[in-house]
Every structure is written in structure tokens, then in C-alpha cells.
Amino acid sequence: MEIIFHHPTFDTQTWLEGMQQQLPGANVRQWHPGDNQPADYALVWHPPVEMLSGRQTLKGVFALGAGVDSILSKLQAHPDMLPNGVPLFRLEDTGMALQMQEYAVSQVLHWFRRFDDYQALKQQAKWQPLEDYRREDFTIGVLGAGVLGGKVAESLAAWGFPVRCWSRSKKDYPGITSFAGDEQLSDFLSGTRVLINLLPNTPQTVGIINSRLLNQLADEAFVMNLARGVHLVESDLLAALESGKVKGAMLDVFAQEPLPSNSPLWKHPRIAITPHLAAVTRPQEAMEYIAKTIRQIENGENPGGQVSLHHGY
Ligand code: NDP
């Protein structure tokens, strides 16, 4: 079995040796321009078109992350990049769900216990106890209830918050109210105090967090964007913060990354920023997952994690 690997920033040696260990019978190699030797599987991130196009022997391509938007947009410009019928897989969880839970829960608790307000009071050397927020006024709404959104919703429900989620198809998660489809988006937003975005980047979800959506949230809402920068209209968020509709935001992803130093988001006192690290690929978990999937394909089984090219995620 021949496996080719390309990632612009990962430590290639770790991956070649690690995959070799996972699949001892395979030959795992780094792909270099001009390498047209046969390959059964490709492990990629931002793959050059020539790495994949025309490879009729491929049985599967693995995206080395959870989001496949960058691969699919390249595929749109170069439809021959993925030979007809070759399945595209992505990483499902592989340690990312726990990271997302840590990120989301810690920030929700930060807002809920008003640590942002106390930080502002501290700047003025003011000793001033504030009224507690009540859980019943702190409904959490998770946009995107898939592998990561579902787990985040679950962990916040375990902390006793009222939690709802929004997805394309209806969910049956214990203790979580499910809303599905465009026709239920307004109901989902109405009364949501903390909005957490974990949608994939597709033509249907670009720009979804805009003024129209923000205005439907509960007053003094909080917004957490953990998915993709293009989901958020940054100027609309700034306007909502200005008007007081939104009280605070935590952003991990941005329309332009790295976020330019002159972006007004950096200086805003009620926006917290992290540099796209809410959940990173954990090599060991990812390699085990990919090897398991390859074994399932080789055994003629139907593995999970296959991307729907039709739905774009
Ligand atoms: P999934 O594919 O498992 O979940 C996507 C969810 O979004 C599903 O519930 C899906 O609905 C829903 N959805 C998709 N399109 C629509 C739509 N048009 N309307 C309503 N709901 C929709 O993805 P993951 O949970 O694994 O990952 C989510 C995203 O998180 C990734 O695409 C990636 O962009 C981002 N991410 C960010 C990271 C970071 O570090 N900041 C790290 C990892 C991922 P349904 O269930 O019905 O299909």
C-alpha cells in the first residue's frame, strides 16, 4: 500500500514514521513535485493540485483537519483535482472535541461569573459586587450541532445551562433543544444569550453572523466564533457591540488570518482574541483514526468521516 503525505507546516517526519507504525505493511512517503508514482491514499492539507489530479489509483484522500473548506474551494477551481469517485475524508473529533469543550466552557463561565465586568472595574480600582447572572437568563445557542458542536452543547448542558442547537437535520441530544433548517433559525436565536458558532464554511453559512442575526439574540448577548472567520461580518459585530446589543465576543477565527495589526478588533475592550487554536489536530489521535479508516476501506467496510461533496462539509 502506497501513502503520500503533504502538509505545509506539520512535522513531516513525525507523520511519516507515525503512519508507518500504524500501518506496518504500507510505504508512507512525503510527496514532492514531480512524484507521479502510484498512491493508494493521500494525507493532505492545502494540497498542490498536481499532487492529486489524475491519480486514478487513489482509494481515499484524507484532509488533516476537521474543516474541508480550503480543499473544496480548490476543487471548485480545479474539478479534476479529485479523480471521479475518490472519497474525501476529514478528521472527526480526534481530540478536537475536548479542546473545543475546554475553550467554550471556560469562556461561558468567564462571562457568566462576570469576570469581564470585574476586570473592567479593577482597571478603575473599584470594589463593587455586581448582581449575579441567573442560569435561566443564560441560554446557550450552538450554531452547528455536528461532531464538535454537539459535544460543546453537551458539556454546557452538564454545567446546568439551558442549551439549544441549530443544524440542518434535527438532533436528539439529551437535554438539548434542537432547531433545524432555515425556517427554525429565528426561533433558535430568540432568547439565545450566548451564541457559539461551530458551523462548517459552506456557501449557505458564509456571513451568517450578521446584523440581522445578531439583532434577534437576547439583549446583552455574547458571541463566540470558533468555526471560520467568513461566518462573521466583523463590521456588524462591531456595530452590535457599539449599540450594546452584544456585550462581549470571543473570536478564534478571522476573515483574514493572521488578523492584520490595524484591525479594530484588536483594540476593542470587549472582544477577546485567540489565534485560531481553539482545537488543533493532535497527531497521534489523528494517525490512529486515519489508519483505522484505511483498514476499514481495505476490508470493504463503510467508514465514517466521509465528506459530502454535495453539501460541502
Ligand atoms: P460537522 O460536519 O460534524 O458539523 C457541522 C454541523 O453544521 C452539522 O450539525 C450540520 O448539520 C450543521 N450545518 C451545516 N450546514 C448547515 C446549514 N446550512 N444550516 C444549518 N446547519 C448546518 O463539523 P465539525 O463539528 O467536525 O466541525 C465544525 C467546524 O468547526 C469545521 O467545519 C471547522 O470549520 C471548524 N473548526 C475550527 C477549529 C478551530 O480551531 N477554530 C478546529 C476544528 C474545526 P447536520 O448535522 O444536519 O449535518
Side-chain angles (χ1 to χ4, degrees):
M1 179 195 304
E2 295 289 328
I3 300 178
I4 49 177
F5 173 91
H6 170 85
H7 195 297
T9 56
F10 280 1
D11 180 57
T12 301
Q13 214 46 39
T14 301
W15 277 80
L16 297 185
E17 287 170 14
M19 284 308 299
Q20 197 70 67
Q21 248 171 31
Q22 292 290 329
L23 298 165
N27 179 38
V28 191
R29 67 180 194 268
Q30 181 178 15
W31 179 84
H32 290 287
D35 171 356
N36 296 317
Q37 294 306 304
D40 300 290
Y41 297 98
L43 279 46
V44 300
W45 197 246
H46 292 292
V49 176
E50 64 270 30
M51 177 181 181
L52 301 178
S53 63
R55 283 192 180 276
Q56 299 299 338
T57 57
L58 278 178
K59 295 185 237 175
V61 172
F62 289 85
L64 297 172
V68 287
D69 44 343
S70 61
I71 293 185
L72 294 186
S73 65
K74 208 168 209 181
L75 191 56
Q76 213 163 34
H78 305 276
D80 62 338
M81 187 173 89
L82 204 58
N84 239 350
V86 174
L88 173 65
F89 295 90
R90 68 185 190 96
L91 299 180
E92 285 195 335
D93 190 346
T94 63
M96 285 185 264
L98 181 60
Q99 297 172 66
M100 283 296 183
Q101 289 175 314
E102 292 163 352
Y103 192 114
V105 170
S106 58
Q107 187 59 25
V108 166
L109 293 177
H110 181 88
W111 284 326
F112 181 64
R113 293 302 307 264
R114 307 194 65 166
F115 291 149
D116 49 345
D117 290 324
Y118 288 114
Q119 188 60 25
L121 287 168
K122 186 208 167 225
Q123 306 296 330
Q124 306 162 49
K126 260 195 175 164
W127 180 278
Q128 186 188 334
L130 302 168
E131 201 181 326
D132 285 346
Y133 285 147
R134 303 178 318 162
R135 271 184 169 62
E136 54 267 41
D137 299 328
F138 231 70
T139 296
I140 318 276
V142 183
L143 284 172
V147 173
L148 302 178
K151 291 275 191 194
V152 163
E154 207 174 80
S155 58
L156 286 161
W159 272 92
F161 293 102
V163 181
R164 50 177 69 165
C165 63
W166 182 70
S167 43
R168 236 167 23 85
S169 57
K170 199 98 178 152
K171 303 296 172 201
D172 191 16
Y173 298 145
I176 293 157
T177 313
S178 162
F179 295 82
D182 292 341
E183 57 289 356
Q184 291 192 351
L185 181 58
S186 289
D187 289 343
F188 162 83
L189 295 169
S190 162
T192 288
R193 180 77 182 276
V194 180
L195 185 76
I196 301 177
N197 177 35
L198 275 164
L199 285 166
N201 170 17
T202 69
Q204 289 74 38
T205 62
V206 170
I208 188 167
I209 307 176
N210 54 30
S211 295
R212 204 156 56 87
L213 177 146
L214 294 170
N215 285 331
Q216 294 178 70
L217 295 172
D219 288 341
E220 297 203 341
F222 297 92
V223 175
M224 208 186 298
N225 190 13
L226 307 182
R228 286 291 182 262
V230 292
H231 288 133
L232 173 71
V233 181
E234 290 173 356
S235 54
D236 286 6
L237 174 68
L238 288 167
L241 282 157
E242 189 59 35
S243 74
K245 179 71 191 175
V246 170
K247 184 159 181 244
M250 174 97 203
L251 307 176
D252 183 54
V253 286
F254 302 88
Q256 193 185 337
E257 294 181 1
L259 182 63
S261 57
N262 63 356
S263 165
L265 301 176
W266 280 118
K267 293 233 167 82
H268 199 290
R270 284 181 284 128
I271 296 179
I273 286 175
T274 49
H276 197 150
L277 47 61
V280 299
T281 299
R282 298 271 188 241
Q284 192 56 33
E285 282 104 320
M287 288 190 279
E288 285 167 14
Y289 177 87
I290 292 168
K292 187 184 84 184
T293 306
I294 289 178
R295 281 193 292 269
Q296 287 174 321
I297 297 172
E298 292 292 311
N299 291 337
E301 295 163 29
N302 210 0
Q306 188 172 341
V307 173
S308 158
L309 298 185
H310 174 65
H311 290 124
Y313 68 96

PDB file of all heavy atoms in Angstrom, residues 267-284:
ATOM      1  N   LYS A 267      -8.150  46.160  19.312  1.00  0.00           N
ATOM      2  CA  LYS A 267      -8.172  47.173  20.392  1.00  0.00           C
ATOM      3  C   LYS A 267      -9.496  47.216  21.135  1.00  0.00           C
ATOM      4  O   LYS A 267      -9.623  47.907  22.145  1.00  0.00           O
ATOM      5  CB  LYS A 267      -7.890  48.559  19.775  1.00  0.00           C
ATOM      6  CG  LYS A 267      -6.462  48.697  19.234  1.00  0.00           C
ATOM      7  CD  LYS A 267      -5.793  49.930  19.826  1.00  0.00           C
ATOM      8  CE  LYS A 267      -4.307  49.932  19.579  1.00  0.00           C
ATOM      9  NZ  LYS A 267      -3.945  50.418  18.250  1.00  0.00           N
ATOM     10  N   HIS A 268     -10.497  46.496  20.630  1.00  0.00           N
ATOM     11  CA  HIS A 268     -11.817  46.621  21.268  1.00  0.00           C
ATOM     12  C   HIS A 268     -11.790  45.995  22.665  1.00  0.00           C
ATOM     13  O   HIS A 268     -11.424  44.832  22.818  1.00  0.00           O
ATOM     14  CB  HIS A 268     -12.891  45.949  20.410  1.00  0.00           C
ATOM     15  CG  HIS A 268     -14.260  46.417  20.764  1.00  0.00           C
ATOM     16  ND1 HIS A 268     -14.861  46.091  21.952  1.00  0.00           N
ATOM     17  CD2 HIS A 268     -15.122  47.240  20.127  1.00  0.00           C
ATOM     18  CE1 HIS A 268     -16.048  46.675  22.014  1.00  0.00           C
ATOM     19  NE2 HIS A 268     -16.233  47.388  20.913  1.00  0.00           N
ATOM     20  N   PRO A 269     -12.212  46.754  23.678  1.00  0.00           N
ATOM     21  CA  PRO A 269     -12.096  46.240  25.054  1.00  0.00           C
ATOM     22  C   PRO A 269     -13.005  45.046  25.340  1.00  0.00           C
ATOM     23  O   PRO A 269     -12.780  44.323  26.305  1.00  0.00           O
ATOM     24  CB  PRO A 269     -12.505  47.444  25.923  1.00  0.00           C
ATOM     25  CG  PRO A 269     -13.276  48.347  25.017  1.00  0.00           C
ATOM     26  CD  PRO A 269     -12.754  48.125  23.627  1.00  0.00           C
ATOM     27  N   ARG A 270     -14.056  44.865  24.543  1.00  0.00           N
ATOM     28  CA  ARG A 270     -14.982  43.759  24.847  1.00  0.00           C
ATOM     29  C   ARG A 270     -14.872  42.616  23.847  1.00  0.00           C
ATOM     30  O   ARG A 270     -15.755  41.786  23.741  1.00  0.00           O
ATOM     31  CB  ARG A 270     -16.411  44.312  24.946  1.00  0.00           C
ATOM     32  CG  ARG A 270     -16.617  45.057  26.273  1.00  0.00           C
ATOM     33  CD  ARG A 270     -18.008  45.607  26.436  1.00  0.00           C
ATOM     34  NE  ARG A 270     -18.216  46.796  25.636  1.00  0.00           N
ATOM     35  CZ  ARG A 270     -19.228  46.977  24.791  1.00  0.00           C
ATOM     36  NH1 ARG A 270     -20.124  46.033  24.637  1.00  0.00           N
ATOM     37  NH2 ARG A 270     -19.350  48.097  24.107  1.00  0.00           N
ATOM     38  N   ILE A 271     -13.761  42.596  23.105  1.00  0.00           N
ATOM     39  CA  ILE A 271     -13.505  41.448  22.221  1.00  0.00           C
ATOM     40  C   ILE A 271     -12.233  40.752  22.691  1.00  0.00           C
ATOM     41  O   ILE A 271     -11.195  41.399  22.864  1.00  0.00           O
ATOM     42  CB  ILE A 271     -13.314  41.896  20.746  1.00  0.00           C
ATOM     43  CG1 ILE A 271     -14.600  42.519  20.204  1.00  0.00           C
ATOM     44  CG2 ILE A 271     -12.896  40.708  19.877  1.00  0.00           C
ATOM     45  CD1 ILE A 271     -14.486  43.003  18.769  1.00  0.00           C
ATOM     46  N   ALA A 272     -12.346  39.458  22.937  1.00  0.00           N
ATOM     47  CA  ALA A 272     -11.157  38.658  23.267  1.00  0.00           C
ATOM     48  C   ALA A 272     -10.749  37.894  22.001  1.00  0.00           C
ATOM     49  O   ALA A 272     -11.610  37.519  21.189  1.00  0.00           O
ATOM     50  CB  ALA A 272     -11.471  37.698  24.394  1.00  0.00           C
ATOM     51  N   ILE A 273      -9.456  37.692  21.832  1.00  0.00           N
ATOM     52  CA  ILE A 273      -8.944  37.106  20.591  1.00  0.00           C
ATOM     53  C   ILE A 273      -7.955  35.989  20.891  1.00  0.00           C
ATOM     54  O   ILE A 273      -7.092  36.133  21.768  1.00  0.00           O
ATOM     55  CB  ILE A 273      -8.254  38.216  19.755  1.00  0.00           C
ATOM     56  CG1 ILE A 273      -9.317  39.130  19.135  1.00  0.00           C
ATOM     57  CG2 ILE A 273      -7.333  37.635  18.677  1.00  0.00           C
ATOM     58  CD1 ILE A 273      -8.762  40.316  18.390  1.00  0.00           C
ATOM     59  N   THR A 274      -8.091  34.883  20.168  1.00  0.00           N
ATOM     60  CA  THR A 274      -7.046  33.852  20.170  1.00  0.00           C
ATOM     61  C   THR A 274      -6.704  33.549  18.704  1.00  0.00           C
ATOM     62  O   THR A 274      -7.553  33.716  17.823  1.00  0.00           O
ATOM     63  CB  THR A 274      -7.497  32.548  20.878  1.00  0.00           C
ATOM     64  OG1 THR A 274      -8.782  32.158  20.367  1.00  0.00           O
ATOM     65  CG2 THR A 274      -7.593  32.731  22.379  1.00  0.00           C
ATOM     66  N   PRO A 275      -5.471  33.115  18.443  1.00  0.00           N
ATOM     67  CA  PRO A 275      -5.007  32.956  17.058  1.00  0.00           C
ATOM     68  C   PRO A 275      -5.320  31.587  16.453  1.00  0.00           C
ATOM     69  O   PRO A 275      -4.406  30.796  16.183  1.00  0.00           O
ATOM     70  CB  PRO A 275      -3.495  33.193  17.175  1.00  0.00           C
ATOM     71  CG  PRO A 275      -3.169  32.717  18.546  1.00  0.00           C
ATOM     72  CD  PRO A 275      -4.367  32.951  19.413  1.00  0.00           C
ATOM     73  N   HIS A 276      -6.565  31.306  16.187  1.00  0.00           N
ATOM     74  CA  HIS A 276      -7.029  30.089  15.524  1.00  0.00           C
ATOM     75  C   HIS A 276      -6.390  28.829  16.130  1.00  0.00           C
ATOM     76  O   HIS A 276      -5.630  28.115  15.469  1.00  0.00           O
ATOM     77  CB  HIS A 276      -6.758  30.154  14.012  1.00  0.00           C
ATOM     78  CG  HIS A 276      -7.576  29.143  13.243  1.00  0.00           C
ATOM     79  ND1 HIS A 276      -7.985  29.350  11.945  1.00  0.00           N
ATOM     80  CD2 HIS A 276      -8.061  27.917  13.590  1.00  0.00           C
ATOM     81  CE1 HIS A 276      -8.684  28.302  11.522  1.00  0.00           C
ATOM     82  NE2 HIS A 276      -8.741  27.420  12.515  1.00  0.00           N
ATOM     83  N   LEU A 277      -6.709  28.605  17.389  1.00  0.00           N
ATOM     84  CA  LEU A 277      -6.167  27.418  18.063  1.00  0.00           C
ATOM     85  C   LEU A 277      -7.182  26.753  18.964  1.00  0.00           C
ATOM     86  O   LEU A 277      -6.829  25.965  19.835  1.00  0.00           O
ATOM     87  CB  LEU A 277      -4.896  27.781  18.863  1.00  0.00           C
ATOM     88  CG  LEU A 277      -4.941  29.021  19.751  1.00  0.00           C
ATOM     89  CD1 LEU A 277      -5.974  28.942  20.846  1.00  0.00           C
ATOM     90  CD2 LEU A 277      -3.588  29.309  20.327  1.00  0.00           C
ATOM     91  N   ALA A 278      -8.458  27.094  18.733  1.00  0.00           N
ATOM     92  CA  ALA A 278      -9.489  26.535  19.621  1.00  0.00           C
ATOM     93  C   ALA A 278      -9.349  25.020  19.708  1.00  0.00           C
ATOM     94  O   ALA A 278      -9.461  24.434  20.779  1.00  0.00           O
ATOM     95  CB  ALA A 278     -10.878  26.919  19.128  1.00  0.00           C
ATOM     96  N   ALA A 279      -9.105  24.378  18.572  1.00  0.00           N
ATOM     97  CA  ALA A 279      -8.871  22.922  18.574  1.00  0.00           C
ATOM     98  C   ALA A 279      -7.900  22.602  17.446  1.00  0.00           C
ATOM     99  O   ALA A 279      -8.187  22.859  16.284  1.00  0.00           O
ATOM    100  CB  ALA A 279     -10.183  22.173  18.366  1.00  0.00           C
ATOM    101  N   VAL A 280      -6.760  22.068  17.829  1.00  0.00           N
ATOM    102  CA  VAL A 280      -5.749  21.751  16.810  1.00  0.00           C
ATOM    103  C   VAL A 280      -5.703  20.239  16.579  1.00  0.00           C
ATOM    104  O   VAL A 280      -6.175  19.458  17.399  1.00  0.00           O
ATOM    105  CB  VAL A 280      -4.343  22.258  17.231  1.00  0.00           C
ATOM    106  CG1 VAL A 280      -4.354  23.774  17.398  1.00  0.00           C
ATOM    107  CG2 VAL A 280      -3.869  21.582  18.509  1.00  0.00           C
ATOM    108  N   THR A 281      -5.129  19.852  15.447  1.00  0.00           N
ATOM    109  CA  THR A 281      -5.002  18.428  15.125  1.00  0.00           C
ATOM    110  C   THR A 281      -3.971  17.791  16.051  1.00  0.00           C
ATOM    111  O   THR A 281      -2.833  18.262  16.141  1.00  0.00           O
ATOM    112  CB  THR A 281      -4.563  18.260  13.655  1.00  0.00           C
ATOM    113  OG1 THR A 281      -5.577  18.832  12.824  1.00  0.00           O
ATOM    114  CG2 THR A 281      -4.376  16.788  13.291  1.00  0.00           C
ATOM    115  N   ARG A 282      -4.380  16.768  16.764  1.00  0.00           N
ATOM    116  CA  ARG A 282      -3.453  16.012  17.621  1.00  0.00           C
ATOM    117  C   ARG A 282      -2.912  14.848  16.796  1.00  0.00           C
ATOM    118  O   ARG A 282      -3.669  13.923  16.460  1.00  0.00           O
ATOM    119  CB  ARG A 282      -4.194  15.474  18.847  1.00  0.00           C
ATOM    120  CG  ARG A 282      -4.769  16.555  19.749  1.00  0.00           C
ATOM    121  CD  ARG A 282      -3.758  16.978  20.791  1.00  0.00           C
ATOM    122  NE  ARG A 282      -4.338  17.865  21.775  1.00  0.00           N
ATOM    123  CZ  ARG A 282      -3.916  19.115  21.981  1.00  0.00           C
ATOM    124  NH1 ARG A 282      -2.942  19.630  21.240  1.00  0.00           N
ATOM    125  NH2 ARG A 282      -4.450  19.855  22.928  1.00  0.00           N
ATOM    126  N   PRO A 283      -1.599  14.866  16.462  1.00  0.00           N
ATOM    127  CA  PRO A 283      -1.082  13.888  15.503  1.00  0.00           C
ATOM    128  C   PRO A 283      -1.379  12.434  15.870  1.00  0.00           C
ATOM    129  O   PRO A 283      -1.833  11.664  15.017  1.00  0.00           O
ATOM    130  CB  PRO A 283       0.427  14.147  15.495  1.00  0.00           C
ATOM    131  CG  PRO A 283       0.573  15.546  15.966  1.00  0.00           C
ATOM    132  CD  PRO A 283      -0.570  15.815  16.894  1.00  0.00           C
ATOM    133  N   GLN A 284      -1.152  12.059  17.131  1.00  0.00           N
ATOM    134  CA  GLN A 284      -1.313  10.644  17.470  1.00  0.00           C
ATOM    135  C   GLN A 284      -2.745  10.177  17.250  1.00  0.00           C
ATOM    136  O   GLN A 284      -2.998   9.162  16.588  1.00  0.00           O
ATOM    137  CB  GLN A 284      -0.867  10.395  18.925  1.00  0.00           C
ATOM    138  CG  GLN A 284      -0.709   8.925  19.281  1.00  0.00           C
ATOM    139  CD  GLN A 284       0.261   8.174  18.347  1.00  0.00           C
ATOM    140  OE1 GLN A 284       1.239   8.736  17.853  1.00  0.00           O
ATOM    141  NE2 GLN A 284      -0.053   6.908  18.054  1.00  0.00           N
TER     142      GLN A 284
END
